[in-house]
Amino acid sequence: RKEVEQDPGPFNVPEGATVAFNCTYSNSASQSFFWYRQDCRKEPKLLMSVYSSGNEDGRFTAQLNRASQYISLLIRDSKLSDSATYLCVVGDRGSTLGRLYFGRGTQLTVWP
Amino acid sequence: EAGVTQFPSHSVIEKGQTVTLRCDPISGHDNLYWYRRVMGKEIKFLLHFVKESKQDESGMPNNRFLAERTGGTYSTLKVQPAELEDSGVYFCASSQRRTANNEQFFGPGTRLTVL
């Protein structure tokens, strides 16, 4: 069983649309949660951390449900520049462990 | 502030040869990680250094892989001898010693092709 599962898509949406991505994680002891964005042939870049209370950064809203081990990302008013692969990432944040577990990514294409 | 840098950006070698990848973390970051993405799969953890010490190397696939971080600054990852299945993109990441949420910053990766 994979540590992090996410819908690979692809999602193809018009500019201005709202799109939602979901992922689930298998380790109930996981402590840190993120969405990373990866452009084609580039490195993953942190989009936002995800907190239990939910958090918002401009057009992006992330939610975490620890009981269901479920993470979501909502993008409102999609822009062309949002086209990328979105990676759901979960971390062990123990005192010594720092490894991250990645989903395979969800590909988003925003068209004009 | 300079980000994580990796060298080379691309490497094409033949099966059985040796390749050494280098990573320079963000200055002052004690934590350094190596990850790998093989085609069609997710990015997977290889190992974690805290300064010069290997904190967790449980993700290393086999003993053909050797990582070092002498002096606690840059790190090298050597593959010897390389096999076809070692092809992929090798990412390095770094983070501060005390980080509120384990945020890691990734380098651009080294794309390794073994023929």
Side-chain angles (χ1 to χ4, degrees), chain A residues 34 36 38 43 98-100 104, chain B residues 35 37 40 58 101 104 107:
Chain A
F34 311 91
Y36 274 73
Q38 187 173 26
E43 72 272 22
R99 66 165 66 184
L100 298 178
R104 290 181 64 174
Chain B
Y35 292 86
R37 184 171 201 163
S58 60
N101 203 25
Q104 297 179 19

Side-chain angles (χ1 to χ4, degrees), chain B residues 4-39:
Chain B
V4 177
T5 58
Q6 293 185 244
F7 182 82
S9 57
H10 294 79
S11 179
V12 181
I13 61 173
E14 292 189 350
K15 176 181 172 180
Q17 289 186 320
T18 297
V19 63
T20 300
L21 313 181
R22 173 171 170 144
C23 167
D24 286 81
I26 293 172
S27 177
H29 280 194
D30 287 342
N31 292 298
L32 187 150
Y33 308 84
W34 284 98
Y35 292 86
R36 176 175 74 170
R37 184 171 201 163
V38 298
M39 188 177 292

Side-chain angles (χ1 to χ4, degrees), chain B residues 79-98:
Chain B
V79 185
Q80 179 182 30
E83 297 289 346
L84 299 179
E85 64 265 25
D86 301 332
S87 295
V89 182
Y90 290 76
F91 290 105
C92 176
S94 72
S95 69
Q96 294 176 340
R97 182 178 182 85
R98 285 187 175 79

Side-chain angles (χ1 to χ4, degrees), chain B residues 61-85:
Chain B
N62 52 60
N63 59 11
R64 295 185 295 103
F65 289 74
L66 175 64
E68 295 180 321
R69 193 183 182 195
T70 307
T73 54
Y74 71 91
S75 174
T76 57
L77 178 64
K78 182 163 70 173
V79 185
Q80 179 182 30
E83 297 289 346
L84 299 179
E85 64 265 25

